[in-house]
Amino acid sequence: MSTFTVVVLLSSLLLANANDFNSFIFSGEYEFLDLTYPFDNFTIYWPEVQRFIFTKKLETNLDDGAWYATNDYASGEHVGTHLDAPFHFAEHGIKVGDIPVDKLIVPLIIIDMRSKVNDDPNFVLEKHHLDHMLNDNFGKPCAVLVRFGWGKFYHDREQYLGLKSDGSLNFPGISAEVAKWIVESYKNVVAVGVDVASLDPGSSKDYMVHQILLGAGLYQMENVNFGNHTLPDSGCLGIALPMKIAAGTGAPLRLVAMCPKQVPTSFD
Amino acid sequence: MSTFTVVVLLSSLLLANANDFNSFIFSGEYEFLDLTYPFDNFTIYWPEVQRFIFTKKLETNLDDGAWYATNDYASGEHVGTHLDAPFHFAEHGIKVGDIPVDKLIVPLIIIDMRSKVNDDPNFVLEKHHLDHMLNDNFGKPCAVLVRFGWGKFYHDREQYLGLKSDGSLNFPGISAEVAKWIVESYKNVVAVGVDVASLDPGSSKDYMVHQILLGAGLYQMENVNFGNHTLPDSGCLGIALPMKIAAGTGAPLRLVAMCPKQVPTSFD
């Protein structure tokens, strides 16, 4: 076989692969679901944390008549839909800018707890809730998203955080036991996310889940916005791209799921 | 065929598709290239624009010994690797939060002009440079990235912007003619990006490219970071996820390309 032939063959192979991949995007069999809250006046912030501030700077017609508009913004890192880097709770953990992209684009495992939570702010995800997963083998890197059904309260900050007059917070979360189990049993889980303001339950004082997961090098996603989307337990690809704040302990996150389109599975 | 059979068949189809798609990620035939500059003290900012400011807030051991660190940040929207929304230069254009995700995840067309630019800050991309593309049919939505080779100057802001003592800026850009040509001839191009601080040449006073492209509803990407990556002219998938600033005229952008791995194409 001549060098030329090899070149042509390999080029064709590459082209075929590329076309195969991009063709998925336009096959009509997938849809992109944006699991991100917008940054605006409703953006959730933790007590005593710098909230998201948006400042209109210019919005005008220039001398030549052209329109021109630009703004400034400011925020704490852990506000709205955001990512926690290991350094947030682990002195020797990596920062946002150091998380490799191939840990940010991984298949999603969805744990839908809505019917068990039933709007109870004291719900804590315990290991016995996950018995059905004991035999699952997450053979490839993946991110786990726990859905408590808390998004319905997002636009009422007091209810979403469960803020009480004594200053306490009250919303569902994950138990330390589950965090340990994920780290010890599922070495391929690279991230855990939730649709509440923290992976630890609102009432937590020691943030053990943060300490365990971030301490083990996983990253976290908080205030995930499921909206009204129905996501299959598996089969979606998660695309979790944070603002690349080099030394960030966290950063605003754009989280998108690429999922098989939900088609009717029965015609009767 | 019974309803049950249909359900099983359709479920199998969905599962097969999902596995096919996620299997691409782990096939070893693709790689993720991060085309984003980190936000840090080197982050490029336009004269008279609010630069990126990073403020360490807490970095300490808590009372119980646990590590805890968090920071604040502030910036103009059009700083570092960022996205321009149509509203930046078009009064009735959409804002960052309104750009649909299926316009943000599209195949990339790479126009590599490095050998023609040859480090000349006065280079302007004209239509005759693109004769080889006249017969191309961008049949599906795509984003065009123009590579001027300017990243080598990124860490010297004066050289990257071509700042002169008279206050002028000098770096390569795109001509208004090319912008018109893209808008009129290639209806499927949804975005244009560059590895300089603006799509218009540094010397531009009227920002005609901004007016034309954003006026036509495209979005722009500026300060794209190609690094030392070699990208094929086509075949990569672009994943351009901006921070979801609802009313943003622009926003920090995380830009990732999923590309066929570059293998040797000759063994001689």
Side-chain angles (χ1 to χ4, degrees), chain A residues 131-143:
Chain A
D131 281 344
H132 65 288
M133 294 175 60
L134 283 173
N135 293 318
D136 279 8
N137 179 7
F138 306 160
K140 299 289 184 183
C142 64

Side-chain angles (χ1 to χ4, degrees), chain A residues 3 7 17 21 24 29-30 34 36 39 67 69-71 73 75 77 87-88 242 244 246 254 258 265-266, chain B residues 3 7 17 21 24 29-30 34 36 39 67 69 71 73 75 77-78 87-88 242 244 246 252 254 258 265-266:
Chain A
T3 303
V7 170
N17 287 340
F21 182 77
F24 268 103
E29 292 170 14
Y30 289 88
D34 190 353
T36 317
F39 282 82
W67 175 259
T70 188
N71 310 297
Y73 61 97
S75 185
E77 294 170 329
F87 185 69
H88 185 36
K244 197 174 178 176
R254 192 69 181 265
M258 180 175 174
T265 51
S266 169
Chain B
T3 304
V7 170
N17 288 340
F21 183 77
F24 268 104
E29 293 171 15
Y30 289 87
D34 191 353
T36 317
F39 282 81
W67 176 259
N71 309 296
Y73 62 96
S75 183
E77 293 170 329
H78 302 272
F87 186 68
H88 186 34
K244 195 173 179 175
R254 193 68 181 267
M258 182 175 173
T265 51
S266 169

Side-chain angles (χ1 to χ4, degrees), chain B residues 10-244:
Chain B
L10 282 172
S11 303
S12 308
L13 268 177
L14 276 180
L15 197 65
N17 288 340
N19 286 339
D20 283 348
F21 183 77
N22 279 332
S23 70
F24 268 104
I25 303 297
F26 301 112
S27 67
E29 293 171 15
Y30 289 87
E31 59 188 339
F32 293 112
L33 308 178
D34 191 353
L35 306 186
T36 317
Y37 288 110
F39 282 81
D40 57 21
N41 285 335
F42 287 105
T43 297
I44 284 288
Y45 56 99
W46 199 259
E48 297 174 44
V49 156
Q50 167 70 60
R51 68 183 291 178
F52 174 73
I53 296 175
F54 181 75
T55 309
K56 281 193 185 180
K57 198 165 170 189
L58 265 175
E59 202 171 292
T60 186
N61 286 102
L62 302 175
D63 292 343
D64 61 0
W67 176 259
Y68 180 72
T70 188
N71 309 296
D72 294 343
Y73 62 96
S75 183
E77 293 170 329
H78 302 272
V79 160
T81 303
H82 70 278
L83 178 146
D84 288 349
F87 186 68
H88 186 34
F89 268 82
E91 186 171 1
H92 303 290
I94 62 174
K95 299 172 180 179
V96 172
D98 298 318
I99 302 175
V101 177
D102 58 9
K103 285 197 173 183
L104 297 172
I105 305 180
V106 292
L108 293 177
I109 306 290
I110 310 291
I111 300 178
D112 189 344
M113 282 289 127
R114 283 179 292 176
S115 62
K116 292 231 166 57
V117 175
N118 203 18
D119 297 351
D120 175 8
N122 298 311
F123 179 90
V124 177
L125 183 75
E126 303 286 359
K127 207 174 146 192
H128 70 81
H129 292 118
L130 302 173
D131 281 345
H132 65 288
M133 295 177 59
L134 284 174
N135 293 319
D136 279 8
N137 180 7
F138 305 160
K140 298 289 186 185
C142 66
V144 171
L145 297 183
V146 184
R147 185 172 191 170
F148 294 112
W150 224 243
K152 70 177 81 165
F153 306 126
Y154 186 84
H155 285 94
D156 180 338
R157 181 170 175 265
E158 285 197 15
Q159 193 170 5
Y160 184 80
L161 294 177
L163 267 173
K164 289 194 178 162
S165 53
D166 62 2
S168 70
L169 303 180
N170 301 271
F171 55 78
I174 297 173
S175 70
E177 188 193 23
V178 165
K180 276 187 209 137
W181 177 62
I182 289 174
V183 166
E184 290 168 6
S185 306
Y186 294 102
K187 303 288 186 189
N188 291 310
V189 175
V190 298
V192 179
V194 290
D195 61 347
V196 285
S198 171
L199 267 73
D200 284 281
S203 57
S204 170
K205 301 291 176 213
D206 55 11
Y207 304 101
M208 277 311 295
V209 174
H210 279 68
Q211 293 192 46
I212 293 166
L213 294 180
L214 300 177
L218 282 71
Y219 65 89
Q220 302 181 160
M221 296 173 275
E222 291 170 333
N223 299 313
V224 169
N225 176 18
F226 286 106
N228 293 320
H229 301 307
T230 303
L231 283 81
D233 294 348
S234 64
C236 295
L237 179 69
I239 304 171
L241 295 189
M243 176 178 171
K244 195 173 179 175

Side-chain angles (χ1 to χ4, degrees), chain A residues 161-202:
Chain A
L161 294 178
L163 267 172
K164 289 195 179 161
S165 54
D166 60 2
S168 70
L169 303 179
N170 301 272
F171 55 79
I174 297 173
S175 70
E177 188 192 23
V178 166
K180 274 188 209 140
W181 177 61
I182 289 174
V183 165
E184 289 167 6
S185 306
Y186 294 101
K187 302 287 185 192
N188 291 309
V189 175
V190 298
V192 179
V194 289
D195 61 348
V196 285
S198 171
L199 267 72
D200 285 281

